[in-house]
Amino acid sequence: MDARSEKNAVPLAVDLDGTLIATDLLWEGLFLLLRQNPLLVFLVPFWLAKGPATLKMEIARRVDIDPAALPYRKEVMERLHAERASGRRLVLATGTPRKFAEAIAQHLGIFDAVLATDGKENLTSKRKRAALVAAYGDAGFDYFGNSRHDLEIFDAAREASVVAPDRSAAAWQAAHGCELIETPKPTAKTILKMLRAHQWLKNGLIAVPVVLSHEYFNVAMLVDCILAFISFSAAASAIYIVNDFFDLALDRRHPTKRNRPFASGLLSMRFGIFSAMGLLVLSFAVAAFLPLLFLGVLCAYLVATTAYSLSVKRMLLLDVLMLAGLYTMRILAGAAATDIGVSFWLLAFSTFFFLSLALVKRYVELRSSVLVPGERIAGRGYRAEDQEIIAQAGMASAFSSALVLALYIDSSAVRELYSHPWMVWPLAPTVLYLTMRIWILARRDELHDDPVVFIVRDWRSQVVVAAGAVMLVLAGMV
């Protein structure tokens, strides 16, 4: 028997989580379960107390996965197809529940056998090794794995290949000199995408109360603003990570969101969970240096964003109202951090202005989705036929914000704050220009799906915003 025939006579067993796919189906299944019914989180500790196998089987019994949407490792798939073409027997050996494993095997159509968690036995580590040895004999199989749970299986295999290893598997690979299958590694840019660092720009709204109260040179207030910005940004990034976990299935069907770090598998969900926990610790640690009222606003923001991620984002109109509220909450956070009162005018203006931006975001999503009449956009409560009413509501909100601003400029409060109130009047047409231009670009399909990010990146919008800020400063100083 030649070397090639001898190799083909030995089956190749392949691990699933982290090896064949760049994700962990236990975590994915758990977040799918909680998205369906958040109250089931209270049953998770009881299932886990009965053992990992029970937890896995209870999750698998309640949720389904889409095998076609999973992030398969290209490098591993190419190897497996080549081995299959040469006539080699392939075995999917995983601690994942059999329901998930068989769905994946059926989708790929390259595996001859499936060994998976079934019943009360969690098929990992020693138990997976025992199952493989019982089926194919000691050193009677080759193995692809990636983690510390695979070390004993590496020892029992004839040949081992390590894929995207964790620290333990990397040490084993270096000590034994076996094959290392290279996969794309995350970069600093990947981490920034996970944090949604560009979304921190929204937290600049925290400084609005300081700007409107003309406390530009109050060092204590500026320091409080910076601390509040850091706290809110850390909390927001933690929520973005959790939100990505709940939206994995939807993101993988989206033309651009499928490239997000967790949807694509560039970052592991385990890493994301620890990152989110660390960010929340940082957020509350920084908040400890600010007034207690700020902590209350921060907690309310976390509750509201969690509710939005779990269910509100799929509710017609309630989602955009909550988005507008979350923007306004940043202004309230700035007021709480600096102990500056917030006027009725500011709250009314921000509510209408941000409602218009939230509506344009939904409008862009509808414009970019291919829907048949009566079909809802994925993960949302809107249909294709809702475009026109959303556009009308968005434009009406934009004009309402400008009207509130105009009434404010003509109020006694402005005459008390500014020596030359007439210099503030251009702000009303400035707001109209910003919002109307955004809506026109949205109708032309030329708008980024996040209008706030668009305003920050668009040079024309930057010029208009800068001109408005200069007018406010000069009106208060002249």
Side-chain angles (χ1 to χ4, degrees):
M1 182 182 294
D2 58 28
R4 184 65 187 175
S5 299
E6 182 180 354
K7 181 179 179 180
N8 287 345
V10 177
L12 172 59
V14 184
D15 179 46
L16 180 61
D17 294 329
T19 303
L20 180 62
I21 57 176
T23 188
D24 189 321
L25 289 183
L26 173 60
W27 287 112
E28 289 213 16
L30 179 60
F31 279 96
L32 275 173
L33 179 70
L34 297 181
R35 180 175 178 174
Q36 292 178 7
N37 187 352
L39 295 178
L40 289 176
V41 69
F42 298 108
L43 291 179
V44 171
F46 296 99
W47 296 336
L48 187 57
K50 296 180 181 179
T54 300
L55 174 63
K56 292 179 178 181
M57 298 307 292
E58 290 292 345
I59 292 174
R61 187 165 65 87
R62 290 170 170 82
V63 302
D64 296 306
I65 61 166
D66 180 7
L70 293 174
Y72 295 95
R73 293 197 187 277
K74 179 182 176 182
E75 302 78 11
V76 176
M77 289 300 301
E78 289 175 348
R79 285 286 301 275
L80 295 182
H81 282 295
E83 296 287 354
R84 179 71 174 180
S86 69
R88 194 169 192 189
R89 182 177 174 83
L90 302 180
V91 179
L92 182 59
T94 174
T96 297
R98 179 168 294 277
K99 173 185 173 181
F100 294 162
E102 289 186 343
I104 291 169
Q106 183 178 3
H107 167 70
L108 295 177
I110 59 175
F111 291 103
D112 299 286
V114 174
L115 299 176
T117 295
D118 197 355
K120 296 183 178 180
E121 187 173 74
N122 185 30
L123 200 71
T124 60
S125 194
K126 294 180 180 180
R127 289 173 290 276
K128 187 190 291 188
R129 171 179 174 165
L132 286 169
V133 170
Y136 308 108
D138 197 17
F141 60 93
D142 293 343
Y143 186 72
F144 284 7
N146 75 299
S147 73
R148 60 185 178 85
H149 299 291
D150 297 315
L151 300 185
E152 295 198 26
I153 309 167
F154 290 152
D155 291 331
R158 190 194 66 156
E159 291 182 0
S161 298
V162 182
V163 182
D166 63 12
R167 186 174 302 176
S168 299
W172 191 95
Q173 186 274 331
H176 293 79
C178 66
E179 179 187 22
L180 174 64
I181 299 179
E182 297 284 355
T183 57
K185 292 180 173 57
T187 63
K189 185 178 180 180
T190 310
I191 302 299
L192 290 176
K193 286 182 69 175
M194 175 194 75
L195 297 174
R196 308 269 190 94
H198 65 282
Q199 299 284 4
W200 294 346
L201 296 169
K202 299 175 182 178
N203 297 326
L205 293 169
I206 286 172
V208 167
V210 170
V211 172
L212 295 181
S213 62
H214 302 165
E215 298 288 351
Y216 317 118
F217 306 110
N218 188 319
V219 176
M221 284 190 178
L222 293 177
V223 170
D224 287 341
C225 272
I226 293 172
L227 292 176
F229 177 87
I230 294 172
S231 179
F232 242 70
S233 296
S237 289
I239 295 299
Y240 284 134
I241 291 172
V242 175
N243 184 58
D244 282 350
F245 292 161
F246 284 117
D247 284 350
L248 282 174
L250 294 174
D251 287 349
R252 287 173 182 152
R253 294 197 292 268
H254 193 276
T256 57
K257 293 179 181 180
R258 64 185 179 188
N259 296 319
R260 286 178 173 175
F262 299 111
S264 64
L266 273 175
L267 292 177
S268 70
M269 295 184 70
R270 182 182 180 87
F271 176 81
I273 289 168
F274 282 108
S275 297
M277 293 171 61
L279 287 164
L280 286 176
V281 170
L282 172 63
S283 177
F284 281 98
V286 174
F289 293 94
L290 295 169
L292 189 61
L293 183 58
F294 173 81
L295 182 61
V297 176
L298 178 65
C299 290
Y301 173 82
L302 289 171
V303 171
T305 50
T306 301
Y308 177 81
S309 298
L310 286 174
S311 61
V312 176
K313 70 191 310 181
R314 296 186 290 277
M315 297 180 182
L316 180 68
L317 296 181
L318 289 179
D319 61 333
V320 290
L321 290 170
M322 179 165 281
L323 279 178
L326 291 174
Y327 282 119
T328 304
M329 201 172 286
R330 290 170 166 89
I331 298 175
L332 294 175
T338 55
D339 197 24
I340 296 175
V342 179
S343 70
F344 159 80
W345 296 107
L346 178 57
L347 293 178
F349 168 79
S350 61
T351 298
F352 284 116
F353 182 77
F354 292 121
L355 178 58
S356 179
L357 297 186
L359 285 165
V360 80
K361 185 174 183 178
R362 289 293 176 263
Y363 179 81
V364 170
E365 288 179 351
L366 280 170
R367 295 275 292 187
S368 60
S369 300
V370 180
L371 301 172
V372 298
E375 180 184 5
R376 291 186 178 184
I377 188 172
R380 304 287 186 237
Y382 300 91
R383 302 175 181 176
E385 53 267 35
D386 297 332
Q387 285 189 34
E388 194 57 38
I389 189 64
I390 289 175
Q392 292 174 10
M395 287 296 293
S397 296
F399 276 85
S400 296
S401 67
L403 176 60
V404 170
L405 182 57
L407 292 173
Y408 167 69
I409 292 171
D410 195 42
S411 70
S412 58
V414 169
R415 288 190 287 272
E416 293 175 3
L417 281 172
Y418 300 97
S419 303
H420 301 280
W422 62 267
M423 295 183 67
V424 187
W425 265 105
L427 287 178
T430 296
V431 168
L432 278 179
Y433 172 82
L434 277 176
T435 51
M436 289 178 68
R437 182 167 178 267
I438 284 174
W439 276 102
I440 289 172
L441 293 177
R443 296 293 290 259
R444 295 177 180 177
D445 298 324
E446 297 177 4
L447 182 68
H448 189 281
D449 62 354
D450 192 322
V452 175
V453 175
F454 170 81
I455 290 174
V456 174
R457 293 177 175 175
D458 177 57
W459 70 268
R460 293 179 181 84
S461 300
Q462 292 169 4
V463 169
V464 171
V465 171
V470 170
M471 283 186 288
L472 271 177
V473 173
L474 290 178
M477 296 176 63
V478 176

